[in-house]
Amino acid sequence: MRLALVLAVSLLTVLALLVAAVAIGSTPLPVRAVIDALAGGDGPTARIVMDLRLPRALLALLVGAGLGTVGCLLQTTTRNDLADPFLFGLSSGAAAGAVLVITVTGDLLGLWTLPLAAFAGGMAASVIVLALIARLGDRGPARLVLAGLAVSFLFMALTNYLVFAGDQRAAHSVLFWTLGGLGLARWDLLPIAAVGLAAILAFAFVRHRNFDALLAGEDTARTLGVDVVALRRTTFLVCAFATAAFVSISGVIGFVGLMVPHIARALAGPMHGRFVPVAALTGAGLLLVSDIAARTLLAPQELPIGIVTTSLGAVFVLALLTREPRG
């Protein structure tokens, strides 16, 4: 009963934020006009809603839900409450792929060049991490975290070099990919984010009992028939695929995958059948709020959304550190 109430309130909140994200902007729109446009209205307002603001709001919803779910699975499999996609080099690899295109190669494939390059960079980072783990031998989640950090620093160094050695006039575009933004939102790109979200949610629901078993410890999970090493590697690969899909459109948006699992766990408990859907809705709501803030705090200028989420994340981590220990 409590879960149903939490899900209902979360869903209604996300829907309200979706409407607010469409209505709020450089030119505020009445909610009634937004609803009319969504119902099939015509005219300048309808074009603003349908061509610009609705795709952006939907992208925020998809990416926020996906990053929140990725954070849940990474934190469970690594038993690290600070795990998120950036920690494992997934986001930095995608950003490096995009920056390579911006500063060196140019738009060889037209509008699809940046998303494809960012996706390739994210997957390359995941392959390197998994190769390191295979080379060193899987000795628990600590090795996965260390390998991810090493790859993250490697791709961050590559990105900084490309920025320094490349076309300095591309600095603004580089900032978009390193700090995140939803300015690339278009209807034809939304399926990329939707596929990433579908993949991570499907995997989480299919394997939710295995993740629940991990909560009791690796030894207990093994006695229950869970192949912990295979689960960890598969989880990392699926998370890498989903993260690469998100970052390929939105750039690096930090701390969403870190914050959301803690909030969702407090609302729904640790069992993944309950935890994951609440986390997805929480992530969607968080990124919608962050996007509204990014577009309004310095209006008419737009802040990179990563600045907003990183600021929230810093406060959140400080709150975790200062929280009284349980028991």
Side-chain angles (χ1 to χ4, degrees):
M1 183 65 182
R2 181 175 182 272
L3 176 64
L5 179 62
V6 169
L7 286 173
V9 171
S10 300
L11 182 59
L12 290 174
T13 301
V14 168
L15 291 175
L17 288 172
L18 187 67
V19 174
V22 174
I24 297 171
S26 56
T27 303
L29 301 176
V31 174
R32 182 64 189 175
V34 172
I35 294 174
D36 289 343
L38 295 176
D42 197 7
T45 298
R47 285 193 291 273
I48 291 174
V49 170
M50 299 305 296
D51 295 341
L52 299 176
R53 296 193 182 175
L54 183 58
R56 181 179 181 126
L58 290 175
L59 180 61
L61 187 153
L62 293 170
V63 172
L67 290 177
T69 306
V70 168
C72 292
L73 302 190
L74 289 178
Q75 288 185 15
T76 297
T77 53
T78 62
R79 302 182 66 81
N80 185 335
D81 287 344
L82 298 180
D84 79 340
F86 189 79
L87 184 67
F88 296 95
L90 307 180
S91 297
S92 55
V99 171
L100 177 67
V101 167
I102 293 169
T103 59
V104 180
T105 66
D107 294 341
L108 299 175
L109 302 175
L111 293 174
W112 286 91
T113 306
L114 279 172
L116 289 174
F119 183 83
M123 294 308 296
S126 69
V127 169
I128 294 172
V129 172
L130 290 174
L132 283 173
I133 293 299
R135 177 78 174 177
L136 299 172
D138 195 306
R139 302 178 187 176
R143 285 298 179 98
L144 179 60
V145 172
L146 289 174
L149 278 173
V151 173
S152 180
F153 291 143
L154 173 66
F155 277 99
M156 287 172 62
L158 175 61
T159 300
N160 292 333
Y161 171 77
L162 291 171
V163 172
F164 178 78
D167 187 351
Q168 298 301 308
R169 293 171 297 180
H172 181 75
S173 296
V174 170
L175 275 179
F176 170 85
W177 287 99
T178 55
L179 296 178
L182 301 174
L184 285 183
R186 303 195 314 267
W187 286 108
D188 60 330
L189 291 180
L190 288 182
I192 298 176
V195 167
L197 177 59
I200 195 67
L201 285 178
F203 179 72
F205 286 123
V206 168
R207 305 297 291 272
H208 74 93
R209 296 189 186 278
N210 291 345
F211 290 117
D212 291 343
L214 271 182
L215 297 175
E218 292 188 12
D219 292 338
T220 302
R222 288 190 182 94
T223 63
L224 294 173
V226 177
D227 186 337
V228 175
V229 173
L231 178 63
R232 186 180 296 128
R233 291 180 178 176
T234 306
T235 300
F236 184 80
L237 193 58
V238 176
C239 288
F241 172 82
T243 302
F246 304 139
V247 178
S248 70
I249 306 174
S250 66
V252 178
I253 300 177
F255 282 95
V256 174
L258 187 153
M259 290 186 285
V260 167
H262 295 273
I263 299 170
R265 200 177 290 116
L267 293 172
M271 307 304 285
H272 290 76
R274 300 166 172 260
F275 177 32
V276 168
V278 174
L281 290 171
T282 303
L286 176 63
L287 207 58
L288 284 167
V289 169
S290 298
D291 185 48
I292 292 171
R295 288 186 286 126
T296 56
L297 287 176
L298 293 180
Q301 290 185 324
E302 180 181 323
L303 276 173
I305 195 171
I307 292 178
V308 178
T309 59
T310 301
S311 301
L312 293 173
V315 174
F316 187 84
V317 171
L318 287 174
L320 285 180
L321 291 174
T322 58
R323 185 178 60 183
E324 292 186 6
R326 296 177 182 175

